[in-house]
Amino acid sequence: GDSVTQMEGPVTLSEEAFLTINCTYTATGYPSLFWYVQYPGEGLQLLLKATKADDKGSNKGFEATYRKETTSFHLEKGSVQVSDSAVYFCALSSSGTYKYIFGTGTRLKVLA
Amino acid sequence: NAGVMQNPRHLVRRRGQEARLRCSPVKGHSHVYWYRQLPEEGLKFMVYLQKENIIDESGMPKERFSAEFPKEGPSILRIQQVVRGDSAAYFCASSPGTGDGRTEAFFGQGTRLTVV
C-alpha cells in the first residue's frame, strides 16, 4: 500500500541555519504531495503542496520539489527562525482518493 | 472566516465512559475526515464521511467506535466504553466535494482525549 517515510527527529538547528527534512514515498499512480506543520498544541496547517512531477511548492521561505524519479519531496528552507519550531508532516493523497497518508512527523527545534 | 471547529478541545473520561467528539466543517464543505494521532506518532486515517453517508471506514476500530455526519449539525465521532489506549488527539478535516484526490484538507485544532 501507499506509504510515506520521513527522516526521524528531533532536528535541532541554530537560527539562520539551512534546513532539510527528507521525505520519500511509495504510491501507485501519481499522488499529490503535501507538507503540513503542527505548532505546539495546535492542529495541522498546510505549508505547501505539489500535484505533479517537477512541481515546486513554496510558502513562507519553505520549498519542496516533487521528484518522481527519486520518489521524494524533501522540505528545505534557507534560513530558519525560532518561530519555525514545530512538527513537520509529509503526506500524500493518491489520485482518485480523498484521504491522506502521513509520515510520522519530524520535530524541528530552532535555537536563538 | 470560520475554519474547521472541533469541540471540546480537551476531554477527560474515565475508563468505561463514552466520549463524543464534535466537528463542524468549513462552511460549504460536505466531506469530513477523522484522524487519530497517538503520542509521538503521525496521523492515521480513521473514517471519511459525506452528509448522511459513511464513505470509507477502513481505519476505524471494529468495535466501540462510530461516526456520523447528519444532514444538519456537526459530525460526531463516538467512542463507547473508552480504554486507556484510546487516549490520543483526534483531528477532523474537511474538504469541498471534488473527489479527485487532489483537494487539500483543512484541519481543525483537534480534541485531546485523556482516559483515566
Side-chain angles (χ1 to χ4, degrees):
Chain A
D2 295 353
S3 66
V4 174
T5 302
Q6 280 182 245
M7 66 185 285
E8 292 194 13
V11 174
T12 302
L13 296 173
S14 297
E15 206 165 23
E16 299 183 4
F18 183 84
L19 168 71
T20 299
I21 300 179
N22 290 337
C23 171
T24 57
Y25 68 90
T26 302
T28 54
Y30 303 97
S32 294
L33 301 173
F34 306 82
W35 277 100
Y36 279 86
V37 57
Q38 184 180 33
Y39 297 102
E42 300 294 326
L44 275 70
Q45 302 174 23
L46 179 66
L47 183 60
L48 52 84
K49 67 178 181 181
T51 58
K52 61 183 187 295
D54 300 325
D55 268 4
K56 176 186 281 188
S58 61
N59 185 26
K60 299 180 181 179
F62 291 89
E63 293 183 341
T65 301
Y66 189 142
R67 302 281 188 203
K68 187 171 183 295
E69 63 278 11
T70 54
T71 62
S72 64
F73 193 55
H74 305 322
L75 182 68
E76 295 181 337
K77 187 176 185 182
S79 177
V80 294
Q81 305 301 311
V82 172
S83 57
D84 293 327
S85 297
V87 180
Y88 292 81
F89 292 95
C90 185
L92 69 80
S93 173
S94 289
S95 180
T97 69
Y98 35 75
K99 62 189 184 186
Y100 293 75
I101 307 296
F102 283 91
T104 53
T106 302
R107 184 178 300 277
L108 170 66
K109 185 174 183 179
V110 180
L111 304 176
Chain B
N1 184 23
V4 178
M5 303 299 293
Q6 290 188 249
N7 67 82
R9 291 290 306 276
H10 301 275
L11 181 62
V12 179
R13 284 288 178 265
R14 295 187 184 278
R15 281 178 293 171
Q17 291 185 319
E18 178 181 285
R20 278 181 176 247
L21 289 62
R22 295 175 182 78
C23 169
S24 296
V26 171
K27 187 176 181 180
H29 284 188
S30 58
H31 296 222
V32 165
Y33 319 83
W34 285 93
Y35 292 83
R36 177 165 63 177
Q37 183 181 31
L38 294 170
E40 303 301 320
E41 294 188 15
L43 280 73
K44 303 293 186 186
F45 169 79
M46 298 181 74
V47 61
Y48 163 47
L49 309 103
Q50 294 182 22
K51 287 281 188 180
E52 299 184 280
N53 285 303
I54 296 174
I55 306 303
D56 182 342
E57 54 183 350
S58 58
M60 287 274 273
K62 293 289 185 265
E63 298 178 348
R64 302 189 296 108
F65 285 72
S66 62
E68 63 177 10
F69 189 17
K71 186 177 180 181
E72 301 291 337
S75 176
I76 306 289
L77 179 68
R78 182 182 178 205
I79 310 172
Q80 295 179 291
Q81 299 175 328
V82 296
V83 300
R84 289 233 172 99
D86 297 332
S87 296
Y90 292 83
F91 289 95
C92 170
S94 74
S95 73
T98 64
D100 65 0
R102 298 186 180 280
T103 308
E104 70 185 75
F106 295 84
F107 283 80
Q109 292 185 301
T111 294
R112 282 158 180 79
L113 171 66
T114 302
V115 179
V116 298

